[in-house]
Amino acid sequence: MKFSEDMVNAYADGELQGSEKSEFEIALMNDADLQSALDDVLQLKSEIQNAYKNVREPVQRQSPVTNYRVASYIGLFLLAFSSGWISGDFVHTPHAISTQMGMSTQAVSADSAALNKYILHIGTHDNVKFKRALDEAEALLVKSQNNNSLIELEVIANAGGLNLFRDNATPYSKRVKHLIEAYPNIRFIACSNAIERLREKGIEPNLINAVHQGPTALDQVVMRMSEGWSYIKI
Amino acid sequence: MAVLNVFKLACRKVALVKRIEQSRSKLYRMALAWCHDPMLADDLVQEALMLALQKIHQLNNDAAFNGWIYTILNNVWLGYLRKSRPTEDIDNIIVADSASPEHEMLLVQIDFVVRSAMAGLPNAQRQVVSLVDLDGLSYSEVANILQLPIGTVMSRLNRARKALSSSIVKNRALYPNLSSSTEKGKFEQKKLRVVK
C-alpha cells in the first residue's frame, strides 16, 4: 500500500481533490490492502455517526421562533421606520444605549433601542453583577419615564444568576420587590432549567413573589430577539 | 435605498437568531461527544448559544456560520475544562461516560461501545474526530475552530481513529453478546461510497 494512513483518512473524508484523488481511486481498484484500510475508516465513521445520531437534549423544547412573530416584528419595524420613529442609523452599534444611558453593557444595538424593548440577562452568581443588572434596569425605566416614552423590560436569570431572584439567596430582595411594585413594565423571569437543576439537588428555589417562571433563558432570549428586542448580557 | 438596507438588516438579524436557535441539536450532539455528560452538554450548549446571540453582530459572513458557532462552543468547553480541571493538560483530558452500560445496553449496544471508546480518547483527539465525523467538517474548518495547523488536525485524526478501532475491538471482546452493527455499518459504508 503506497498511500499513507493520512491519505486514506483524507480520501474517506472527501479531502482529496484532482490528481491526488484520481491516483488514489486507480490504486484502490488494484490494492486490496488499501481497500481494506479505506473500508475500516468508512465503517468507523459510520459507527461514530450512528452512536450519536439519536441523542436528544435532556429537555425537549419547542422553537419559540414562529413565522408569525418574525412577520410581526418586520411589520412593526417597517411601520416604525416609515413613521420616522427609527432613524436611518440601523447598523449595530454596541454601546449605543450604554452611551445614551451612561451604562457599561455591550451587545446593544441601535435598531431595537428605538423600539424600547430590552431583555437583560444575568447568568452568574455575582453580587456586583446583580447590582449592575438592577442599576441598568432602573436607569432604563427612569429614563423612559422622564422622556414619556414607552418601554418594555425583562430581566432573565439562569444558572448562578437565579440567586438574584431567590428570597433566601439574594441581597437585593427588597430592591427587586420595589422595582416590581414601582414599574408595571418590568418583568423578572427565572429560567425553568435553572429551577429544575436546583430541585434535582433537593433545593427549593423560593423565588421572590411576582418573579415569573419562564421557559429556559435561551428560549426567552431567542424569542425576544426574534421580536426585535435588544439583548443585554450583564 | 436606506429603507431597503434597513429592511435587509432586520431580516438578516431575525434569520440569524433563528439559525442560532436551530443549531441547538447539532451543538448538543457535539458537546455530548466532547464531554459525555448529558446535563453538562446541555449547559455548554446553552452558554454557547447565549454567547452567539450576544455576539451576533460579529458574524459578517453567513457562510462562516458553522465555524463561528463551533468556535464559540469550543471556547466554552475549554473554559469549563480550565475551570474544573485547572492542573491538567487540556489536550490529554479523558472523560468518563456518565451513562451506565446496563442502561445503554438496553438502547443500542454498539453505540455504547463506540461512545465509551470516544470517552476514552484524549480531549484533543476526541474533539477533532467528532468535528470531522459527526458534522462532516473539512480539515480546514476544524483547523480554524480549534486554532491548529491542518497537519496537526490530520495527525490527531489518525491517532484518534486508530485508538477508537483498537478500543472498539477490545470492547467487543469484553461484551461478546453485543449485537453487532457490522451489517448496519456495511450498509452505511456502501451509502458513503456511493455518495463519493
Side-chain angles (χ1 to χ4, degrees):
Chain A
M1 189 171 88
K2 69 170 184 172
F3 290 93
S4 68
E5 289 169 334
D6 281 347
M7 289 287 274
V8 176
N9 281 324
Y11 182 79
D13 296 326
E15 292 281 334
L16 292 191
Q17 305 292 332
S19 60
E20 273 187 331
K21 186 178 175 188
S22 309
E23 279 175 35
F24 189 93
E25 285 173 342
I26 290 166
L28 203 55
M29 288 190 279
N30 305 309
D31 187 335
D33 289 343
L34 187 61
Q35 281 175 14
S36 170
L38 179 62
D39 285 348
D40 288 346
V41 172
L42 290 175
Q43 175 153 353
L44 181 63
K45 280 173 74 74
S46 166
E47 287 182 340
I48 292 170
Q49 284 160 10
N50 286 330
Y52 293 93
K53 187 169 64 182
N54 296 318
V55 298
R56 293 285 175 267
E57 296 161 76
V59 183
Q60 287 294 308
R61 311 170 186 96
Q62 286 191 327
S63 168
V65 183
T66 63
N67 289 334
Y68 169 76
R69 284 189 176 120
V70 172
S72 65
Y73 164 51
I74 293 170
L76 178 65
F77 184 87
L78 286 174
L79 182 67
F81 187 91
S82 60
S83 66
W85 189 17
I86 302 175
S87 75
D89 179 20
F90 182 74
V91 179
H92 288 291
T93 52
H95 307 297
I97 293 176
S98 314
T99 310
Q100 189 184 353
M101 307 294 295
M103 299 189 307
S104 57
T105 48
Q106 294 188 1
V108 178
S109 53
D111 52 343
S112 40
L115 292 172
N116 294 318
K117 293 180 178 181
Y118 308 95
I119 181 161
L120 273 68
H121 167 221
I122 173 98
T124 49
H125 182 176
D126 178 339
N127 285 345
V128 175
K129 286 189 175 180
F130 287 174
K131 182 177 181 304
R132 212 172 88 211
L134 297 174
D135 285 350
E136 296 192 355
E138 194 157 18
L140 285 165
L141 292 163
V142 168
K143 174 88 177 175
S144 77
Q145 251 183 3
N146 293 342
N147 292 346
N148 276 333
S149 58
L150 290 173
I151 183 176
E152 273 189 74
L153 180 61
E154 287 181 350
V155 182
I156 187 151
N158 72 332
L162 188 70
N163 287 339
L164 175 61
F165 299 157
R166 294 180 60 214
D167 237 339
N168 46 0
T170 178
Y172 296 106
S173 175
K174 278 184 186 170
R175 195 165 171 209
V176 170
K177 286 174 188 165
H178 162 72
L179 287 172
I180 292 169
E181 283 164 14
Y183 300 97
N185 47 346
I186 185 169
R187 288 176 81 225
F188 290 94
I189 302 172
C191 167
S192 59
N193 246 13
I195 292 173
E196 197 183 314
R197 294 289 164 85
L198 277 181
R199 290 193 172 131
E200 277 167 11
K201 292 177 191 167
I203 302 168
E204 199 44 45
N206 294 324
L207 297 178
I208 295 168
N209 279 343
V211 168
H212 300 267
Q213 178 174 339
T216 67
L218 178 62
D219 284 335
Q220 188 69 13
V221 171
V222 165
M223 182 179 78
R224 291 310 189 196
M225 287 186 78
S226 301
E227 293 171 340
W229 290 45
S230 283
Y231 171 43
I232 304 172
K233 177 87 160 69
I234 304 294
Chain B
M1 186 58 83
V3 177
L4 189 62
N5 286 338
V6 169
F7 181 72
K8 278 181 183 169
L9 280 168
C11 288
R12 181 173 182 267
K13 184 177 170 187
V14 171
L16 272 178
V17 170
K18 192 167 183 177
R19 194 170 174 191
I20 288 170
E21 203 271 337
Q22 285 173 338
S23 62
R24 183 187 286 182
S25 292
K26 76 171 187 176
L27 287 190
Y28 177 75
R29 222 172 12 252
M30 191 62 64
L32 187 69
W34 290 354
C35 73
H36 280 252
D37 176 337
M39 298 308 270
L40 175 59
D42 197 39
D43 286 346
L44 295 171
V45 170
Q46 289 247 7
E47 194 178 339
L49 292 178
M50 287 294 210
L51 278 170
L53 291 169
Q54 190 189 346
K55 295 167 186 282
I56 200 166
H57 58 280
Q58 292 178 356
L59 183 67
N60 297 319
N61 175 11
D62 289 359
F65 180 86
N66 257 353
W68 176 73
I69 200 101
Y70 276 129
T71 301
I72 293 173
L73 181 66
N74 180 47
N75 289 338
V76 171
W77 169 233
L78 296 184
Y80 167 81
L81 288 178
R82 282 191 200 105
K83 201 171 165 186
S84 62
R85 299 161 92 156
T87 57
E88 293 179 59
D89 178 351
I90 285 175
D91 281 354
N92 294 327
I93 289 176
I94 290 168
V95 293
D97 196 330
S98 64
S100 69
E102 291 75 18
H103 174 70
E104 290 287 336
M105 295 280 260
L106 292 173
L107 298 171
V108 184
Q109 294 166 335
I110 189 62
D111 291 354
F112 162 69
V113 168
V114 175
R115 278 153 67 169
S116 294
M118 286 282 279
L121 288 178
N123 183 58
Q125 293 176 28
R126 192 168 59 250
Q127 283 197 283
V128 169
V129 77
S130 48
L131 285 166
V132 171
D133 285 343
L134 289 187
D135 204 17
L137 296 184
S138 70
Y139 293 174
S140 65
E141 285 175 312
V142 176
N144 280 334
I145 291 166
L146 301 178
Q147 294 292 293
L148 297 170
I150 286 187
T152 307
V153 169
M154 291 175 74
S155 61
R156 285 184 183 179
L157 183 64
N158 190 36
R159 285 203 299 276
R161 283 180 173 160
K162 283 167 91 169
L164 283 173
S165 297
S166 150
S167 174
I168 290 169
V169 167
K170 201 167 77 181
N171 276 326
R172 276 189 175 131
L174 283 174
Y175 300 101
N177 294 327
L178 276 181
S179 64
S180 167
S181 74
T182 309
E183 292 309 313
K184 183 173 70 173
K186 279 185 178 164
F187 174 71
E188 297 290 340
Q189 183 180 313
K190 276 180 191 161
K191 283 203 298 187
L192 278 168
R193 295 287 282 273
V194 170
V195 167
K196 284 181 181 300

